[in-house]
């Protein structure tokens, strides 16, 4: 292949500014006393640590046997301010080892040092082999870990490591935002003109970009003759910079905080060698899905069926409809097979061995389900997904996916299911699967997007009948009904809890009550196609009512009042993730002594966020010596945009305020 010089425009698909001036030099080995004695980050005095700078540079090296290989050097300098920041002296660097036709990625630790100020002297301590560890994460990933020695308040650590990869379809990620501040970040790429990448920025941090096309060359050596020659070409040099990057504070209700950190990724779109037709590399999801289906460890496994045929014929023999067959097959696979906790979309030992041992990875169990459904006459397909823990798939690539579930279609109706979770059900996926959308695929190459996010509210209903005596003691009965995802969530939390265990957890949570006669019943409502959990218990308490003089004061929700607002930040840049739409309803009936009358009740209220994204209704009334209360809190979308954060904080403040308002009874 002849390589010569020609012009190529580098494509960047996100905007940058380039009006800042970065005058300071950032180099390893330049630790000063002033840095070591600094007590706090002047821009964030609460930070337990700060990344003083993080830099990376990606270059391409040419080898006669392999062609171009990417080499990325990372440089990190980090300051520890407080004991809470000591964990930042432990680094874990993952790298991919699941390639089949190219060499695996490799990580080299170039240098690692701890700096401390002892008296008036700067002491530099090297990380030895005892502080470096290699670990196998799974069949696709390994990691190298580094533990820095002699960490104290005031320590500075420096790390340089190198990542080498033959996979040019994507460049290494460059993350420049963390849970601690970053004073300065810089990423440089020098990409040969033959490769056109698409740049993707995630997060909310402004980045400056400077680019230019420049001449370059590098020596190449023919290993058979040991002759050295030079390769001349043009390269696109890109320099990305950012400074004073604030910490991204993780708050409640976030699916995966890694989705929102400031980060750069690059996907290879086109290879354009001289005198050759440009080759389009960037794929769509259809291409990715089809390539996975054609692998022996995927598509071929679905075609196998002899190992389960006799069992399948037996279990569906009495089914009167496709819906019944689907339910029977799903429950059979879910209850027979046991997930070993391994992710991925390829089988490891194969479906036959998994079926025989009744243990398999996610792909083996759900591909068995696909195959059995198809053999039962149901249109079933595997669905490739990225789980919540794996993050949002930013662009079509195999590495962005890590699991497979199942889609079935009967008539016009679609069903999704995952047989790896004993608590799941048809159209009630495990929580880990609820991550945007998946890709259903067929051996023909046909592919379709499958929305994984629930659309209907899952309900929780709490009914309470309670009675207050003359001394202010309270006795009562509660019935809680959890439906759909509320039921799944309950089952996940209390899967191994007995009735007594759950009673103890209630007492630990609320502290003010004694629980008796607790019972948990799990059931499925056939006609409504939903799962349900029903919890009943009795309670008593002597400290829910305050008696002052001839009056009693208490919250109408008694011990079920909300504690504190989960939303505390002044500003939130990432969306609020409630996992699934939900509606909590409370119906309380409180009886009090006939020797008392109601002096005051809280006022009714009805408020909402946006176009009914979140709603709160509170109604209360009294009749004779009884008080009736109904409360509804509805979250009508899984994901609430950050634009509504202030309104969200306000409505939750109102909910807490209203729930803690007191009823006042006065003795006659």
């Amino acid at each position: 292949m002849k390589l010569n010089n020609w012009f190529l425009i580098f494509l960047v698909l996100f905007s940058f500014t380039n009006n800042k001036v970065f005058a300071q030099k950032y180099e390893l080995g330049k630790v000063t006393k002033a840095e070591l004695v600094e007590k706090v980050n002047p821009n964030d005095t609460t930070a337990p640590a700060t990344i003083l700078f993080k830099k990376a540079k990606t270059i391409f090296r040419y080898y006669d046997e392999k062609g171009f290989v990417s080499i990325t050097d990372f440089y990190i300098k980090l300051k520890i301010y407080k004991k809470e920041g000591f964990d930042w002296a432990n680094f874990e660097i993952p790298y991919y080892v699941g390639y089949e036709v190219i060499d695996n990625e490799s990580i080299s630790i170039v240098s690692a040092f701890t700096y401390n100020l002892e008296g008036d002297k700067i002491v530099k301590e090297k990380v030895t082999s005892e502080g470096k560890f290699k670990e196998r994460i799974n069949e696709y990933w390994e990691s190298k870990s580094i533990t820095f020695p002699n960490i104290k308040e005031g320590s500075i650590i420096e790390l340089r490591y190198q990542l080498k990869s033959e996979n040019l379809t994507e460049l290494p990620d460059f993350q420049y935002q963390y849970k601690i501040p970053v004073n300065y970040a810089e990423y440089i790429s020098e990409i040969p003109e033959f490769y056109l990448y698409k740049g993707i920025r995630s997060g909310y941090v402004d980045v400056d970009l400077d680019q230019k096309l420049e001449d370059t060359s590098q020596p190449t050596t023919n290993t058979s003759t040991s002759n050295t020659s030079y390769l001349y070409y043009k390269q696109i040099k890109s320099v990305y910079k950012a400074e004073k990057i604030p910490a991204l504070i993780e708050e409640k209700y976030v699916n995966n905080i890694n989705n929102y950190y400031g980060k750069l990724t690059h996907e290879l779109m086109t290879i354009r060698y001289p005198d050759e037709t440009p080759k389009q590399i960037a794929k769509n999801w259809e291409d990715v899905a089809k390539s996975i289906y054609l692998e022996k460890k995927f598509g071929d496994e679905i075609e196998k069926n002899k190992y389960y045929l006799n069992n399948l014929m037996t279990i569906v023999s009495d089914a009167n409809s496709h819906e019944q067959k689907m339910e029977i097959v799903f429950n059979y696979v879910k209850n027979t097979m046991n997930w070993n906790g391994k992710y991925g979309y390829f089988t490891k030992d194969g479906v036959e061995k998994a079926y025989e041992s009744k243990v398999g990875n996610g792909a083996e169990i759900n591909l068995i389900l696909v195959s059995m459904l198809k053999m039962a006459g149901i249109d079933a397909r595997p669905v490739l997904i990225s789980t919540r823990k794996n993050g949002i798939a930013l662009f079509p690539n195999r590495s962005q996916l890590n699991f497979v579930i199942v889609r079935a279609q009967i008539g016009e109706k679609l069903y999704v299911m995952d047989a790896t979770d004993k608590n799941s059900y048809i159209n009630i996926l495990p929580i880990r699967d609820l991550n945007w959308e998946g890709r259903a695929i067929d051996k023909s190459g046909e592919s379709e997007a499958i929305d994984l996010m629930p659309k209907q509210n899952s309900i929780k209903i709490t009914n309470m009948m309670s009675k207050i005596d003359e001394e202010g003691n309270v006795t009562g009965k509660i019935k809680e009904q959890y439906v759909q995802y509320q039921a799944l969530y309950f089952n996940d939390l209390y899967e191994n809890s007995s009735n007594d265990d759950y009673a103890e957890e209630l007492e630990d949570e609320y502290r003010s009550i004694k629980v008796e006669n607790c019972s948990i019943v799990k059931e499925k409502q056939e006609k409504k196609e939903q799962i349900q959990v029903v919890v009943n218990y009795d309670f008593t308490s002597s400290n829910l009512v305050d008696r002052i003089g001839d009056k009693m004061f208490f919250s109408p929700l008694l011990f079920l009042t909300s504690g504190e607002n989960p939303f505390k930040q002044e500003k939130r840049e990432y969306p609020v993730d409630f996992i699934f739409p939900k509606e909590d309803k409370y119906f309380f009936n409180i009886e009090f002594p006939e020797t008392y009358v109601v002096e005051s009740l809280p006022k009714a209220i009805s408020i909402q966020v946006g176009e009914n994204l979140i709603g709160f209704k509170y109604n209360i009334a009294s009749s004779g010596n009884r008080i009736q209360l109904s409360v509804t809190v509805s979250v009508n979308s899984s994901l609430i945009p950050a634009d509504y954060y202030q309104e969200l904080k306000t409505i939750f403040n109102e909910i807490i305020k209203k729930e803690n308002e007191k009823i006042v009874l006065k003795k006659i």
Side-chain angles (χ1 to χ4, degrees):
M1 178 182 64
K2 182 181 178 182
L3 299 176
N4 58 11
N5 297 330
W6 56 284
F7 184 77
L8 176 65
I9 300 297
F10 180 68
L11 178 65
V12 180
L13 294 190
F14 51 93
S15 61
F16 298 88
T17 59
N18 57 5
N19 55 358
K20 292 183 181 179
V21 177
F22 300 88
Q24 185 176 347
K25 288 187 176 181
Y26 297 90
E27 299 176 2
L28 296 182
K30 304 291 185 180
V31 176
T32 66
K33 289 182 182 179
E35 290 175 318
L36 287 166
V37 299
E38 186 178 68
K39 299 298 183 183
V40 296
N41 182 324
N43 297 314
D44 183 353
T45 57
T46 65
T50 293
I51 296 174
L52 300 179
F53 70 79
K54 178 178 180 180
K55 297 167 62 178
K57 183 176 183 179
T58 298
I59 63 172
F60 283 58
R61 283 283 175 261
Y62 186 81
Y63 299 89
D64 285 343
E65 318 86 53
K66 300 178 180 180
F68 280 106
V69 172
S70 77
I71 299 173
T72 303
D73 281 288
F74 292 85
Y75 309 81
I76 300 170
K77 183 178 181 180
L78 188 146
K79 167 78 176 182
I80 307 289
Y81 293 112
K82 306 174 183 178
K83 290 181 179 179
E84 294 81 2
F86 283 7
D87 286 345
W88 288 94
N90 301 313
F91 279 79
E92 183 176 337
I93 309 166
Y95 54 99
Y96 195 75
V97 293
Y99 300 117
E100 296 184 2
V101 296
I102 60 175
D103 289 344
N104 290 326
E105 294 177 353
S106 63
I107 288 285
S108 301
I109 307 301
V110 180
S111 63
F113 297 96
T114 301
Y115 294 82
N116 285 300
L117 190 62
E118 296 184 4
D120 197 42
K121 183 180 179 182
I122 297 176
V123 178
K124 178 180 179 182
E125 188 171 349
K126 184 178 181 180
V127 176
T128 65
S129 58
E130 294 180 354
K132 302 174 184 177
F133 309 93
K134 181 179 178 181
E135 181 183 0
R136 184 82 173 189
I137 300 173
N138 54 43
E139 58 186 308
Y140 303 108
W141 290 89
E142 290 183 355
S143 72
K144 282 195 176 178
S145 300
I146 305 166
T147 300
F148 285 81
N150 201 21
I151 294 300
K152 307 173 184 178
E153 292 180 343
S155 295
I156 287 178
I157 61 176
E158 290 187 338
L159 171 64
R160 179 185 174 187
Y161 66 93
Q162 186 179 89
L163 171 64
K164 189 174 182 179
S165 178
E166 294 182 22
N167 175 24
L168 301 184
T169 59
E170 53 186 305
L171 300 183
D173 292 348
F174 181 71
Q175 183 175 330
Y176 50 87
Q177 187 178 35
Y178 295 87
K179 293 181 180 179
I180 57 175
V182 179
N183 288 354
Y184 178 77
E186 176 182 287
Y187 176 67
I188 299 174
S189 63
E190 296 178 349
I191 301 175
E193 57 187 331
F194 321 113
Y195 300 99
L196 180 63
Y197 284 86
K198 174 174 66 178
I200 301 171
R201 177 176 67 91
S202 57
Y204 308 91
V205 177
D206 289 334
V207 178
D208 290 82
L209 170 63
D210 180 62
Q211 287 182 318
K212 62 181 177 180
L213 189 70
E214 59 185 20
D215 294 319
T216 190
S217 64
Q218 60 174 292
T220 63
T221 301
N222 189 312
T223 54
S224 60
T225 64
S226 297
N227 292 331
T228 299
S229 59
Y230 280 84
L231 177 66
Y232 296 91
Y233 57 94
K234 290 184 183 292
Q235 68 181 14
I236 303 97
K237 182 175 182 179
S238 304
V239 181
Y240 307 83
K241 296 180 180 180
E243 64 178 353
K244 296 181 181 178
I245 303 166
L248 186 65
I249 305 301
E250 183 172 1
E251 200 175 36
K252 288 186 177 180
Y253 300 105
V254 56
N255 58 355
N256 184 339
I257 194 66
N258 291 322
N259 290 328
Y260 308 111
Y261 287 122
K263 183 170 62 176
L264 292 172
T265 57
H266 290 85
E267 177 196 13
L268 182 60
M269 297 185 66
T270 308
I271 297 178
R272 301 175 65 175
Y273 291 127
D275 305 324
E276 293 185 13
T277 302
K279 181 181 180 182
Q280 299 301 317
I281 302 298
K283 298 181 178 181
N284 54 36
W285 282 118
E286 287 79 6
D287 296 331
V288 172
K290 185 176 180 180
S291 71
I292 291 174
Y293 201 104
L294 293 176
E295 295 281 355
K296 290 183 178 180
K297 292 182 179 181
F298 194 93
D300 287 0
E301 296 292 293
I302 296 174
E303 300 303 314
K304 298 175 181 178
N305 53 49
K306 291 182 180 179
Y307 64 95
Y308 64 70
L309 273 180
N310 290 336
N311 288 337
L312 178 64
M313 292 175 63
T314 300
I315 64 174
V316 300
S317 59
D318 295 329
N320 297 319
S321 65
H322 283 313
E323 287 80 6
Q324 278 191 336
K325 286 182 181 179
M326 175 179 65
E327 183 177 2
I328 290 169
V329 171
F330 171 73
N331 285 327
Y332 174 79
V333 176
K334 180 181 73 171
N335 296 325
T336 301
M337 299 299 299
N338 297 285
W339 184 40
N340 61 13
K342 301 294 184 182
Y343 289 81
Y345 42 75
F346 288 140
T347 61
K348 188 175 188 300
D349 298 322
V351 290
E352 292 177 279
K353 287 186 178 180
Y355 189 79
E356 182 181 357
S357 67
K358 296 183 173 58
V359 178
N361 66 15
E364 286 158 346
I365 292 174
N366 281 324
L367 294 187
I368 288 172
L369 176 58
V370 170
S371 183
M372 292 184 75
L373 289 171
K374 290 168 71 73
M375 188 57 61
I378 296 168
D379 177 8
R381 297 183 183 185
V383 179
L384 297 165
I385 70 168
S386 173
T387 59
R388 292 169 66 88
K389 188 176 181 179
N390 195 55
I392 298 293
L394 294 177
F395 54 85
N397 194 293
R398 285 188 179 199
S399 65
Q400 304 279 303
L401 306 167
N402 73 323
F403 207 58
V404 57
I405 59 173
V406 182
R407 183 234 71 177
Q409 181 169 359
I410 300 175
E412 297 298 317
K413 194 167 183 180
L414 293 179
Y415 304 86
V416 288
M417 57 200 90
D418 181 350
T420 63
D421 190 318
K422 303 295 185 185
N423 293 324
S424 70
Y425 188 60
I426 296 169
N427 281 340
I428 307 292
L429 293 172
I431 299 299
R432 65 172 179 267
D433 296 348
L434 303 182
N435 194 34
W436 193 32
E437 65 179 28
R439 179 64 55 174
I441 57 177
D442 190 71
K443 66 179 180 180
S444 66
E446 184 179 341
S447 171
E448 63 176 325
I450 300 295
D451 190 347
L452 302 173
M453 304 307 293
K455 296 296 183 288
Q456 294 183 336
N457 285 3
S458 292
I459 309 297
K460 175 189 173 185
I461 301 174
T462 301
N463 285 279
M464 178 191 291
M465 299 289 295
S466 61
K467 184 175 182 179
I468 301 172
D469 67 16
E470 291 276 357
E471 302 301 318
N473 299 313
V474 183
T475 59
K477 294 180 178 292
I478 285 185
K479 178 181 181 180
E480 296 177 332
Q481 296 169 273
Y482 300 82
V483 181
Q484 299 298 72
Y485 276 99
Q486 296 263 32
L488 176 71
Y489 197 69
F490 181 94
N491 287 334
D492 286 345
L493 286 175
Y494 304 108
E495 183 174 12
N496 299 315
S497 297
S498 65
N499 292 337
D500 290 341
D501 291 336
Y502 185 64
E504 288 183 13
E505 294 198 40
L506 287 172
E507 291 178 348
D508 289 342
E509 180 178 359
Y510 298 115
R511 298 189 179 277
S512 58
I513 62 171
K514 174 68 176 176
V515 176
E516 295 179 334
N517 303 321
C518 181
S519 69
I520 302 173
V521 178
K522 302 176 183 180
E523 60 186 38
K524 182 175 70 66
Q525 297 181 327
E526 300 281 352
K527 294 182 180 179
K528 295 184 179 180
E529 293 183 348
Q530 65 185 25
I531 56 175
Q532 178 174 265
V533 174
V534 179
V535 179
N536 287 280
Y537 60 90
D538 300 338
F539 72 91
T540 58
S541 178
S542 59
N543 57 2
L544 292 174
V545 177
D546 294 322
R547 297 174 64 213
I548 303 175
D550 61 349
K551 295 182 181 181
M552 291 185 181
F553 302 82
F554 60 92
S555 164
L557 274 81
L558 298 176
F559 60 90
L560 293 178
T561 55
S562 301
E564 59 180 12
N565 193 334
F567 306 109
K568 299 180 174 65
Q569 293 176 207
E570 289 299 317
K571 180 181 179 183
R572 177 161 167 161
E573 294 180 318
Y574 49 89
V576 179
D577 178 29
F578 286 99
I579 306 176
F580 50 84
K582 62 191 71 176
E583 189 168 84
D584 292 348
K585 298 182 177 182
Y586 301 87
F587 300 100
F588 290 0
N589 190 306
I590 303 170
E591 181 182 344
F592 56 87
E594 293 183 350
T595 55
Y596 281 79
V597 294
V598 175
E599 182 175 272
S600 66
L601 292 175
K603 293 181 179 179
I605 190 174
S606 179
I607 53 178
Q608 66 182 39
V609 170
E611 296 181 2
N612 201 28
L613 285 174
I614 295 179
F616 174 60
K617 295 180 180 179
Y618 181 105
N619 289 293
I620 191 167
S622 64
S623 176
N625 67 327
R626 293 181 182 274
I627 297 169
Q628 294 82 36
L629 171 72
S630 67
V631 176
T632 301
V633 180
S634 38
V635 178
N636 301 314
S637 176
S638 302
L639 212 63
I640 307 296
D643 293 347
Y644 292 97
Y645 183 70
Q646 295 304 324
E647 291 182 65
L648 191 64
K649 282 180 64 176
T650 299
I651 195 172
F652 271 81
N653 279 332
E654 287 297 322
I655 290 172
I656 293 167
K657 179 181 176 182
K658 180 57 66 174
E659 288 183 355
N660 285 279
E661 286 183 0
K662 304 295 186 181
I663 294 173
V664 181
L665 304 180
K666 185 176 182 179
K667 196 165 187 176
I668 301 173

